[in-house]
Amino acid sequence: MTNVHILLGPPGSGKGTQAKRLVAKRSLIHLSTGDILRDAVSKGTEIGLRAKAIMANGKLVDDDTVNGLVFARLQNETGDVLFDGYPRTLQQAESLGKFLSDQGLDLGLVIDISVPEAVLEARVVDRMVCSNNNCGYIYHLVTCPPQVEGICDLCHYPLKHRADDCQEAFRSRMSEFYKTFEPLQAYYKGTDHYRAVDGQGSSDAIHQTILALFQEQA
Ligand code: AMP
């Protein structure tokens, strides 16, 4: 039976980093809607062409488009899945719930990583990501710099800033995030699936906390 786990949290809370660390330890398939959409933008697909300006302005892509992309991917996956950046709205969460029950799939853990806003801005503005779509490793110029400036330690591709990591787009992403987050959080908070994690410690400490949650659940 496929289990679907969810990482919730604002931009810069460490969802992407923690997701990559977790899938390296547990056999999970990492599905980041941000990565799926960036891939569509870079390939110039119809969805990518529509999403490009929305993403660059830090706005949310519409629910039907994102749900469609996600459900198409879920239908083809046979292992346990870890979502990063999805669901982002109550409507997405409700549609996902319906899709899972229609398909006989189970919701696993919903891990909510929280970090104060001032810390998030500093993290995101100094974030660099590997330009190789198959790697996508995330660096931070202060807390987690690459060994060679501008080059990925793992695959040696050049690092780049994400188009939406500048201060202006970040602020827009934060205000979009808070518009939709409360009802989304409330939807999961009352359930047995929900776990809150303080995202302010070191990446290692947070990784250990999340791993322990998965071990408890197994
Ligand atoms: P992320 O990599 O998760 O920070 O996402 C980057 C951008 O992709 C967001 O600012 C949105 O424009 C878009 N995006 C990613 N996931 C979603 C989602 N679940 N719903 C709507 N838009 C999304």
Side-chain angles (χ1 to χ4, degrees), residues 69-140:
L69 285 170
V70 165
F71 300 159
R73 286 292 290 267
L74 270 185
Q75 243 146 5
N76 293 323
E77 302 295 358
T78 47
D80 286 359
V81 165
L82 178 67
F83 277 123
D84 150 17
Y86 178 87
R88 278 269 224 298
T89 65
L90 180 60
Q91 199 271 3
Q92 290 179 14
E94 289 173 342
S95 299
L96 175 66
K98 182 171 181 320
F99 180 85
L100 295 181
S101 71
D102 288 351
Q103 301 289 315
L105 305 174
D106 275 349
L107 182 62
L109 290 175
V110 178
I111 297 173
D112 181 7
I113 307 178
S114 62
V115 179
E117 199 169 333
V119 177
L120 294 172
E121 183 164 332
R123 281 191 190 176
V124 165
V125 172
D126 283 338
R127 171 161 69 181
M128 300 287 285
V129 293
C130 176
S131 58
N132 173 2
N133 286 344
N134 294 323
C135 173
Y137 201 80
I138 302 164
Y139 296 86
H140 184 275

Side-chain angles (χ1 to χ4, degrees):
M1 164 78 69
T2 296
N3 268 302
V4 172
H5 306 283
I6 295 171
L7 282 182
L8 296 179
S13 59
K15 295 187 302 293
T17 303
Q18 293 299 333
K20 283 188 193 304
R21 297 189 67 160
L22 204 58
V23 298
K25 279 279 171 58
R26 314 224 9 140
S27 54
L28 292 169
I29 298 149
H30 178 197
L31 286 188
S32 151
T33 41
D35 286 349
I36 295 171
L37 287 163
R38 278 185 287 278
D39 189 48
V41 170
S42 72
K43 289 187 175 137
T45 65
E46 193 197 321
I47 288 177
L49 292 176
R50 264 193 287 130
K52 188 173 180 176
I54 299 172
M55 293 172 73
N57 289 320
K59 304 283 184 205
L60 290 183
V61 176
D62 69 278
D63 290 331
D64 288 347
T65 299
V66 178
N67 286 334
L69 285 170
V70 165
F71 300 159
R73 286 292 290 267
L74 270 185
Q75 243 146 5
N76 293 323
E77 302 295 358
T78 47
D80 286 359
V81 165
L82 178 67
F83 277 123
D84 150 17
Y86 178 87
R88 278 269 224 298
T89 65
L90 180 60
Q91 199 271 3
Q92 290 179 14
E94 289 173 342
S95 299
L96 175 66
K98 182 171 181 320
F99 180 85
L100 295 181
S101 71
D102 288 351
Q103 301 289 315
L105 305 174
D106 275 349
L107 182 62
L109 290 175
V110 178
I111 297 173
D112 181 7
I113 307 178
S114 62
V115 179
E117 199 169 333
V119 177
L120 294 172
E121 183 164 332
R123 281 191 190 176
V124 165
V125 172
D126 283 338
R127 171 161 69 181
M128 300 287 285
V129 293
C130 176
S131 58
N132 173 2
N133 286 344
N134 294 323
C135 173
Y137 201 80
I138 302 164
Y139 296 86
H140 184 275
L141 295 178
V142 180
T143 57
C144 177
Q147 283 164 14
V148 177
E149 194 183 324
I151 302 292
C152 179
D153 294 348
L154 304 181
C155 70
H156 311 296
Y157 271 60
L159 303 183
K160 60 172 190 187
H161 267 297
R162 274 174 44 174
D164 57 358
D165 272 351
C166 66
Q167 200 170 48
E168 199 182 329
F170 172 77
R171 291 194 175 152
S172 166
R173 281 158 70 205
M174 285 309 290
S175 86
E176 286 294 293
F177 174 80
Y178 285 115
K179 264 190 229 160
T180 58
F181 186 62
E182 250 177 54
L184 173 66
Q185 189 186 44
Y187 177 82
Y188 289 119
K189 215 169 182 171
T191 70
D192 289 347
H193 305 279
Y194 183 84
R195 305 283 186 283
V197 169
D198 178 355
Q200 282 189 87
S202 68
S203 173
D204 282 349
I206 298 161
H207 175 58
Q208 292 307 328
T209 304
I210 296 176
L211 264 186
L213 293 175
F214 274 85
Q215 274 148 10
E216 272 166 29
Q217 194 229 15

